[in-house]
Amino acid sequence: MGASPRARMSWTEICASTLFRDRWIALDDCRYDGAEGHPSEATVIDADDDLTELCSRMKRASRRSCAILFCAASHLRRDSRAS
């Protein structure tokens, strides 16, 4: 992806996006609520199908404090049932 930072999004919005679903995503400025294991909202910095490529870009960009998570379609289904 290699795009510039996007606006803050909820985890549900991130997982619903076809740009991010079933990809590795780098997140910044995460806010966590509860014990779900993923942020309630964050700013998506970058995304890639290949974890190694994403980590390499984050390293080259000196982004060493971002969270990198896999955004699975199953997260969207689980979150929608919890609502």
Side-chain angles (χ1 to χ4, degrees):
M1 185 175 133
S4 59
R6 300 178 181 278
R8 289 185 66 75
M9 300 171 71
S10 71
W11 181 251
T12 302
E13 291 170 328
I14 293 167
C15 291
S17 170
T18 57
L19 290 174
F20 308 128
R21 193 178 315 130
D22 293 326
R23 300 181 81 197
W24 291 98
I25 54 173
L27 304 171
D28 196 16
D29 197 24
C30 299
R31 190 184 84 192
Y32 291 86
D33 287 337
E36 290 295 317
H38 55 73
S40 59
E41 71 176 20
T43 302
V44 178
I45 302 302
D46 201 349
D48 202 302
D49 296 329
D50 186 322
L51 177 59
T52 303
E53 289 296 321
L54 178 61
C55 290
S56 293
R57 282 198 305 275
M58 293 300 96
K59 185 176 180 180
R60 285 192 305 272
S62 296
R63 288 195 172 270
R64 301 197 190 308
S65 63
C66 60
I68 296 180
L69 301 172
F70 188 75
C71 181
S74 61
H75 291 141
L76 181 60
R77 289 190 296 275
R78 184 173 54 238
D79 288 349
S80 64
R81 283 195 309 261
S83 304

